C-alpha cells in the first residue's frame, strides 16, 4: 500500500511540456505547464519536430519546478507517472524517456497513463478538490473499498460502479464519448462514440486559421463569438450513416485512429470536416478572404503587429459579417456536441456527464451544457479552465488507482501514438 500517495506526473504528448505533483488523486501540490504556443503559432499548427525539440529543452526545468512548487523531493514520491499515448511519437518519447530514467534512478515504480484517461480524471480531480474544500478537512481516498454488495460507496458527486458517468473528451486531437465506471482500484471505459474525421478542437483551429486568427484558434473564436449573431448562418450537421465497409477498416485520420468505429451507434458519431468546408465556402462566396489576410497581417505577421494581440485588437479587425460567421460556427459545433452527448447519456441511462479536454474551456459550451443538464435533471461537471487543456495533474490523478492496484509499466515502455482507450 502506498506511503505518501505522492505521484509526480509528466505529460508531453503534444505541444505542452507539463509536470505535476498530486497526492492520492485528490490534492494538487503543483502543476507546471510550459506552453509551446509561441513556437508553433507562426506555422498555424503544431510542427512535430519542433515540439520534440522544445520538450527536450523544457522537460528538466519543468520537472524541477513542479517538485520545488510542491515542496517535495524525489525521495518523498511513491511513483512517477507518464503519458504513453496517444500523441506525437517524438514528443511522447521525450517524457517517457525522462520518466523512465527518473524512476530507475530513484527506485520508483513507473505508471503509464493514457492521455484520454488523463482528461477524464481532470474532472474527477477537480470534483474531489471541491469536495475537500467544502469539507475543509483532510481528504478521502480516491476509490473507496467495496461495500457489501461489492459495489463502491458513492463519493459524493463522483461516479460509482452503480452510477457510472458519461464523458465527452473534446480536444484538439479527440472528440470521443465514453461510459466510465470505477471498480476495485481500476476504472473501465467503454467507447460510445467518436469523430470519424477531425476533432472539434481541430475544427476550431482550422476555422480560426482560415479567418486570419491566431493559433490555437479555440480561445479566439470563444472570445469573438459573443460579438456576432449565432443564428445568422444556419450551419447544419447531417446524421452520419457509416458505411458498412468502414467497419473494422483503419480510420482515415489521426483523431479517428485512436478507436475503432465498428459496433458504435451512428447517432453518437461526429464529423467536423464538413463544417470546416462550409465555412471555407462561405468565406469564398462572400469574398471574406482578403479581409482575413489583412487581419492576419495586422494582428500577427505585419511590421506593426502587436507583440501580443488582444481580443480588442482582433475585434477592431473584424466586420459584423465575420463576427456572425464565428458566432454561427461555434453555436453549430456546440449544438452538435450537445445533441449527441445528451442522446448517448439518455440511451445509456447515465445521470452524470463529464465534459473535458481543451474545447471544454469554451464558455458557450459550458453555459449550454449546464443549462441543458439542469433541464434534464442530470449532473454535469467540467475541469477548471487550467485542467481543461493539457496538463500533468490529470495524468497524476489517473495514475493513482493504478498505484493502488500495483499496475506498473514494463521496463520497455514505449510511446504509442495511436493508443486507444476502452473498447
Ligand atoms: O486538450 P488540449 O489542450 O490538447 C489536446 O489534447 O488536443 O486541447 C487543445 C484544443 C485546441 O484545438 C484549442 O483550440 C482548443 O482545445 N481550445 C478551445 C478553447 N480553448 C482551447 N476551443 C474552444 N474554446 C476554447 N476556449
Ligand atoms: Zn489533451
Amino acid at each position: 500500500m502506498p506511503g505518501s500517495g505522492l505521484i509526480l506526473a509528466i505529460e508531453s504528448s503534444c505541444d505542452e511540456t507539463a509536470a505535476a505533483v498530486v497526492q492520492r488523486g485528490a490534492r494538487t501540490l503543483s502543476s507546471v505547464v510550459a506552453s509551446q504556443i509561441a513556437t508553433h503559432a507562426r506555422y498555424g499548427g503544431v510542427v512535430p519536430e519542433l515540439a520534440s525539440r522544445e520538450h527536450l529543452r523544457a522537460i528538466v526545468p519543468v520537472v524541477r519546478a513542479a517538485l520545488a512548487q510542491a515542496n517535495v523531493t524525489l525521495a518523498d514520491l511513491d511513483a512517477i507517472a507518464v503519458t504513453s499515448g496517444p500523441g506525437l511519437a517524438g514528443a511522447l518519447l521525450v517524457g517517457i524517456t525522462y520518466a523512465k530514467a527518473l524512476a530507475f534512478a530513484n527506485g520508483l515504480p513507473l505508471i503509464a497513463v493514457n492521455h484520454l484517461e488523463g482528461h477524464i480524471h481532470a474532472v474527477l480531480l477537480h470534483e474531489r478538490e471541491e469536495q475537500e474544500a467544502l469539507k475543509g478537512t483532510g481528504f478521502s481516498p480516491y476509490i473507496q473499498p467495496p461495500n457489501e454488495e461489492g459495489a463502491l460507496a458513492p463519493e459524493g458527486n463522483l461516479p460509482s460502479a452503480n452510477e457510472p458517468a458519461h464523458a465527452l473528451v473534446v480536444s484538439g486531437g479527440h472528440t470521443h464519448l465514453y461510459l466510465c465506471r470505477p471498480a476495485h482500484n481500476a476504472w473501465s471505459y467503454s467507447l460510445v462514440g467518436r469523430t470519424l474525421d477531425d476533432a472539434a478542437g481541430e475544427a476550431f483551429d482550422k476555422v480560426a486559421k482560415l479567418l486570419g486568427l491566431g493559433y490555437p484558434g479555440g480561445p479566439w473564436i470563444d472570445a469573438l463569438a459573443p460579438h456576432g449573431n449565432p443564428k445568422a448562418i444556419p450551419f447544419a450537421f447531417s446524421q452520419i450513416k457509416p458505411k458498412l465497409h468502414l467497419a473494422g477498416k483503419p480510420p482515415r485520420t489521426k483523431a479517428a485512429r485512436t478507436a475503432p468505429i465498428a459496433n458504435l451507434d451512428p447517432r453518437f458519431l461526429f464529423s467536423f470536416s464538413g463544417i470546416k468546408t462550409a465555412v471555407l465556402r462561405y468565406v469564398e462566396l462572400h469574398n471574406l478572404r482578403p479581409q482575413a489576410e489583412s487581419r492576419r497581417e495586422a494582428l500577427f505577421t505585419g511590421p506593426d503587429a502587436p507583440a501580443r494581440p488582444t481580443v480588442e485588437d482582433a475585434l477592431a479587425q473584424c466586420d459584423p459579417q465575420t463576427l456572425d460567421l464565428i458566432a454561427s460556427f461555434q453555436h453549430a459545433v456546440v449544438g452538435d456536441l450537445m445533441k449527441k452527448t445528451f442522446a448517448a447519456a439518455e440511451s445509456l441511462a447515465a445521470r452524470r456527464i463529464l465534459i473535458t479536454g481543451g474545447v471544454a474551456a469554451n464558455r458557450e459550451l459550458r453555459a449550454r451544457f449546464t443549462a441543458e443538464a439542469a433541464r434534464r435533471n442530470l449532473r454535469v461537471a467540467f475541469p477548471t479552465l487550467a485542467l481543461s487543456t493539457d496538463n500533468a495533474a490529470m495524468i497524476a490523478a489517473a495514475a493513482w488507482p493504478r498505484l493502488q492496484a500495483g499496475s506498473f509499466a514494463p521496463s520497455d515502455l514505449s510511446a504509442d501514438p495511436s493508443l486507444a482507450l476502452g473498447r
Side-chain angles (χ1 to χ4, degrees):
M1 197 56 201
S4 65
L6 290 169
I7 298 178
L8 166 72
I10 295 174
E11 151 67 40
S12 67
S13 63
C14 190
D15 60 346
E16 326 272 2
T17 318
V21 178
V22 176
Q23 190 165 32
R24 298 196 178 116
R27 186 200 268 173
T28 307
L29 275 70
S30 66
S31 179
V32 178
V33 180
S35 170
Q36 304 178 1
I37 284 176
T39 305
H40 302 289
R42 78 189 77 146
Y43 304 100
V46 179
V47 183
E49 290 76 11
L50 294 183
S52 310
R53 195 189 70 190
E54 292 299 309
H55 284 307
L56 275 172
R57 276 196 192 147
I59 191 103
V60 174
V62 163
V63 168
R64 278 196 191 138
L67 290 169
Q69 282 178 28
N71 202 17
V72 299
T73 66
L74 287 162
D76 299 320
L77 302 174
D78 271 351
I80 309 264
V82 66
T83 306
S84 60
L88 301 168
L92 286 163
L93 271 176
V94 176
I96 292 173
T97 310
Y98 191 55
K100 267 188 186 176
L102 276 182
F104 182 73
N106 294 278
L108 290 165
L110 182 68
I111 300 169
V113 175
N114 183 309
H115 182 80
L116 296 170
E117 184 177 20
H119 273 302
I120 291 169
H121 282 257
V123 191
L124 304 177
L125 171 60
H126 176 51
E127 291 277 300
R128 280 185 199 102
E129 292 193 316
E130 293 256 284
Q131 275 179 25
E132 290 318 312
L134 283 177
K135 275 196 254 156
T137 55
F139 55 91
S140 50
Y142 191 87
I143 289 181
Q144 296 177 351
N147 62 19
E148 274 148 34
E149 289 96 50
L152 296 160
E155 264 188 287
N157 215 11
L158 295 166
S160 66
N162 296 333
E163 273 203 87
H166 180 49
L168 167 66
V169 183
V170 61
S171 68
H174 302 92
T175 303
H176 286 38
L177 290 168
Y178 293 100
L179 192 67
C180 325
R181 203 187 288 273
H184 304 283
N185 281 343
W187 284 72
S188 65
Y189 306 91
S190 315
L191 181 73
V192 176
R194 67 153 173 77
T195 180
L196 292 175
D197 41 53
D198 291 350
E202 215 172 335
F204 271 91
D205 294 338
K206 287 177 178 170
V207 164
K209 186 173 179 184
L210 185 71
L211 296 177
L213 296 168
Y215 171 84
W220 286 104
I221 290 184
D222 186 352
L224 294 171
H227 301 275
N229 173 7
K231 305 262 167 72
I233 308 153
F235 290 117
F237 287 86
S238 51
Q239 173 62 52
I240 292 173
K241 298 187 191 70
K243 292 184 187 125
L244 282 177
H245 72 266
L246 278 180
K249 289 215 170 163
R252 288 170 304 209
T253 65
K254 165 181 84 173
R257 244 175 270 138
T258 51
I261 63 160
N263 305 327
L264 294 180
D265 186 327
R267 286 178 303 151
F268 313 142
L269 296 176
F270 299 91
S271 168
F272 292 104
S273 64
I275 191 162
K276 181 191 67 192
T277 314
V279 171
L280 176 63
R281 263 199 232 112
Y282 188 92
V283 165
E284 280 169 355
L285 200 66
H286 295 84
N287 203 26
L288 297 178
R289 201 185 269 285
Q291 210 196 97
E293 291 303 331
S294 68
R295 181 164 40 245
R296 182 174 297 115
E297 172 91 356
L299 291 173
F300 304 103
T301 53
D304 300 325
R308 277 173 173 263
T310 62
V311 175
E312 287 67 37
D313 294 332
L315 257 181
Q317 299 294 331
C318 290
D319 68 331
Q321 203 175 10
T322 300
L323 292 171
D324 284 352
L325 175 58
I326 289 170
S328 301
F329 162 77
Q330 179 172 284
H331 187 78
V333 171
V334 171
D336 189 60
L337 290 170
M338 281 177 57
K339 184 177 145 199
K340 289 167 185 169
T341 304
F342 283 111
E346 191 176 317
S347 102
L348 298 164
R351 307 213 48 78
R352 296 159 196 271
I353 300 180
L354 317 178
I355 319 283
T356 188
V359 182
N362 187 273
R363 288 172 300 169
E364 179 178 341
L365 180 147
R366 285 183 178 232
R368 289 176 63 194
F369 265 95
T370 303
E372 182 61 17
R375 202 183 65 75
R376 292 172 180 249
N377 202 19
L378 301 176
R379 286 178 177 178
V380 68
F382 303 91
T384 57
L385 289 186
L387 285 179
S388 297
T389 47
D390 288 350
N391 65 87
M394 67 185 196
I395 303 301
W400 168 243
R402 292 191 196 281
L403 174 59
Q404 287 183 298
S407 162
F408 301 128
S411 56
D412 62 349
L413 176 72
S414 191
D416 186 346
S418 312
L419 184 62
L421 179 65
R423 286 177 296 129

